[in-house]
Amino acid sequence: MPAIANYRGIIPAISCPFTPDHRIDEPALRKLASWLAGHEGVVAIMTNGHTGEVFSLTLAERAEVTRIVADELKGRTPVISSIVCEGLAEAAEHARAAQAAGAVALDVMPPHHWLRFGFTPGHALQYFEAIHKAAPGLDLVCHVYPAWTRASYSSQLLAELAKLPYLQAFKVGQRDMNKYARDIQAIREADPSKAIHTCHDEYLLASMVQGVDATLVDGTGENLDPHKVWARMMINEKPGGHGERSVAVGTIDMAVWDAVAKIAGQPLYQLLAERYGNGTPDPRVFVYAAGGYYYPGKGVEGLQREMTSYLARGYSVVKMKIGGASLADDCERIESVLKILGPGQQLAVDANGRFDLQTAIDYGRALSQYPLFWYEEAGDPLDYELQARLGEVYKGPMATGENLFSMQDARNLIRHGGMLKDHGWSPSRCIPHGGHQMPLAIAAGLGLGGNESYPDLFQPYGGFPDGVKVENGYVTLPPLPGIGFEGKSDLIAEMHALAS
């Protein structure tokens, strides 16, 4: 039986605090160990790693670090001590010292003279065997060095190590994702029960996609869990949705969902329908064309030409900006677009949160004379009272929410914005913002009311996969894996250029 019941979690390599005279700072070390062990998902603590200044410590000091941490975490979290030695006898001595100090497992690093002179597979197996014989009650963890070093293990040797009954996990750091993928496959084929941990700080997400065992993986062990990834990103963040954080988190969140769907071998909209919808996606999605920005010299004629081009491309609903001119001028602009609309075609307007309460109401009264698709985001997105008061005056459809970046803000809009009767809502009235393929997949998978589109703006990031046309206001999504980035040639070329 393994000495540590669960290796599938986070195992931090603890640093070693020192006093000003270069002795181990025991109070600080105890405090740090307790703090690390208190984090959700931590299943063990590793002492005497590179992070722990192992090369600055004597044998006695390495054992003392392990003793202090093991004593502090007794009954709470198991301790793994790293073995960093230059020969079989020394490694055996360090193993016995770590066991006596309270370690229940050993992280076995390659002897550092291997970095220069290399090794034979037989000698590597002898090294692990010698450590096991010295401390037979302890689990071993194989620490894998970068692929470009002479201390790197081949995939075949890793498979042989995986067959050792006392070796329970691999801490992998190849820094070569192609070799990493081959190594993972070899280990899994040799013994799928062996846990795999990454120390790829610079390739963290990529290594997790390939198959690392940790708290960011779902219950199957074969895919990422997007909710766990999101929760991990939000640790120690203040509540609230505003600020730059939402952009960073959203970018990673999108990449994770793309990876999850690709690992599952499905379009994202199919995966979302099966996990959170009714099981059957509708790849035919309503889209509207957003534009109508203010530009110097554009004028009413320029606005009409722009909107006519959208209608000619198959859109049935177009959207323009308001609030950048006087109310009278905006009414003239609105009327100019309404004149070019045919049967079944409509106009929406968007103020981008420009108005105070009185201006929003003044616009609401003036806009009531027009058959608009909606009046969007009159005021600050968090001014729920403004939204509710506006709803008392303007009786046409209203839209808002694109600048709410937390679940709590969206709930408050429902509760206090006066838009949704009895705090209820229909998914068909939710139309995601952004104009790119992620919300398009969400709309198709969850049966939402449609998706925004920017036909001439924000390219190559906006728009649809190659060959997808707008017909009578709808697009039909092809069954591309993940979000479908690869199906949009200009976008995937941009992504490849950025990645290189």
Side-chain angles (χ1 to χ4, degrees):
M1 289 289 292
I4 296 178
N6 177 27
Y7 277 93
R8 287 172 167 79
I10 300 171
I11 303 179
I14 191 171
S15 60
C16 181
F18 293 99
T19 62
D21 60 350
H22 307 297
R23 298 180 182 275
I24 297 168
D25 188 336
E26 180 171 343
L29 181 58
R30 287 181 177 274
K31 183 177 180 181
L32 178 58
S34 187
W35 178 79
L36 282 172
H39 283 75
E40 181 183 356
V42 172
V43 297
I45 298 293
M46 182 177 291
T47 60
N48 298 317
H50 295 124
T51 304
E53 305 286 353
V54 64
F55 294 111
S56 302
L57 302 175
T58 65
L59 168 59
E61 288 174 325
R62 295 179 191 184
E64 181 66 3
V65 168
T66 298
R67 183 198 67 77
I68 292 169
V69 175
D71 180 70
E72 180 66 24
L73 303 181
K74 187 182 300 181
R76 295 169 52 196
T77 308
V79 174
I80 303 170
S81 177
S82 290
I83 297 292
V84 188
C85 301
E86 292 305 308
L88 302 184
E90 183 187 7
E93 183 182 8
H94 279 243
R96 288 189 287 266
Q99 185 174 36
V104 297
L106 303 171
D107 171 58
V108 181
M109 296 188 192
H112 273 225
H113 69 271
W114 291 3
L115 290 168
R116 180 177 180 186
F117 299 107
F119 63 96
T120 65
H123 181 53
L125 291 168
Q126 289 175 351
Y127 190 68
F128 279 85
E129 182 66 19
I131 292 170
H132 168 64
K133 286 182 177 179
L138 272 57
D139 295 344
L140 299 189
V141 176
C142 175
H143 195 129
V144 181
Y145 270 23
W148 57 79
T149 71
R150 299 191 72 180
S152 174
Y153 298 139
S154 69
S155 297
Q156 182 178 356
L157 177 56
L158 289 172
E160 291 301 313
L161 290 169
K163 296 175 184 177
L164 298 176
Y166 47 82
L167 193 146
Q168 302 300 333
F170 291 83
K171 180 180 179 182
V172 294
Q174 290 91 335
R175 267 75 186 175
D176 178 332
M177 300 316 294
N178 290 324
K179 185 176 188 309
Y180 173 78
R182 296 193 300 271
D183 291 349
I184 293 294
Q185 181 179 359
I187 293 168
R188 295 291 195 215
E189 290 177 354
D191 188 342
S193 71
K194 300 302 169 71
I196 297 172
H197 287 262
T198 182
C199 57
H200 286 117
D201 302 321
E202 65 275 48
Y203 300 112
L204 188 59
L205 181 58
S207 62
M208 288 176 178
V209 170
Q210 293 280 10
V212 70
D213 293 306
T215 53
L216 301 185
V217 176
D218 64 16
T220 69
E222 298 176 353
N223 208 329
L224 295 170
D225 186 323
H227 302 286
K228 291 181 179 178
V229 175
W230 188 88
R232 182 61 49 183
M233 289 190 287
M234 297 301 289
I235 285 178
N236 294 330
E237 290 284 356
K238 291 176 63 178
H242 275 47
E244 295 84 354
R245 176 185 71 197
S246 61
V247 177
V249 171
T251 301
I252 297 173
D253 201 39
M254 188 183 304
V256 168
W257 278 110
D258 182 53
V260 167
K262 285 173 177 170
I263 293 170
Q266 295 179 306
L268 178 58
Y269 61 78
Q270 179 69 47
L271 183 138
L272 293 176
E274 293 177 2
R275 291 193 181 187
Y276 309 106
N278 62 11
T280 304
D282 184 358
R284 185 172 181 267
V285 180
F286 164 74
V287 290
Y288 69 88
Y293 287 85
Y294 297 91
Y295 293 114
K298 182 176 182 179
V300 168
E301 293 79 10
L303 178 62
Q304 286 181 319
R305 285 194 298 271
E306 178 190 357
M307 296 298 162
T308 298
S309 75
Y310 298 155
L311 297 170
R313 279 177 265 183
Y315 292 94
S316 60
V317 176
V318 294
K319 187 172 79 174
M320 58 175 279
K321 302 300 179 183
I322 59 172
S326 67
L327 175 54
D329 286 343
D330 274 339
C331 286
E332 181 184 0
R333 296 171 67 249
I334 290 170
E335 290 168 5
S336 74
V337 176
L338 290 174
K339 289 178 182 177
I340 66 172
L341 299 181
Q345 297 175 340
Q346 289 186 273
L347 171 67
V349 297
D350 183 358
N352 282 127
R354 293 173 178 268
F355 301 151
D356 58 20
L357 176 59
Q358 188 56 56
T359 306
I361 289 175
D362 290 343
Y363 264 79
R365 287 177 174 144
L367 299 182
S368 295
Q369 63 183 304
Y370 305 123
L372 298 177
F373 192 68
W374 66 49
Y375 172 17
E376 180 177 343
E377 205 171 37
D380 188 291
L382 296 180
D383 192 341
Y384 307 121
E385 182 181 5
L386 180 151
Q387 198 67 49
R389 293 278 299 278
L390 177 60
E392 296 171 359
V393 175
Y394 182 74
K395 300 305 180 184
M398 294 190 297
T400 192
E402 70 170 274
N403 287 302
L404 301 181
F405 299 112
S406 73
M407 180 67 74
Q408 291 76 16
D409 287 340
R411 285 174 176 162
N412 281 334
L413 173 65
I414 294 172
R415 292 167 178 161
H416 309 299
M419 298 176 65
L420 304 170
K421 187 177 181 181
D422 297 329
H423 300 169
W425 63 282
S426 166
S428 66
R429 299 303 298 162
C430 293
I431 300 181
H433 212 71
H436 53 81
Q437 290 171 271
M438 176 72 171
L440 196 62
I442 294 172
L446 302 183
L448 305 186
N451 188 52
E452 184 180 40
S453 170
Y454 288 97
D456 296 329
L457 300 170
F458 312 125
Q459 297 301 322
Y461 302 99
F464 317 116
D466 297 345
V468 173
K469 303 295 183 183
V470 182
E471 297 180 355
N472 298 318
Y474 286 80
V475 294
T476 300
L477 303 187
L480 298 170
I483 293 174
F485 296 132
E486 292 79 2
K488 194 170 188 293
S489 57
D490 56 349
L491 174 58
I492 196 63
E494 178 75 3
M495 289 181 167
H496 286 158
L498 291 171
S500 64

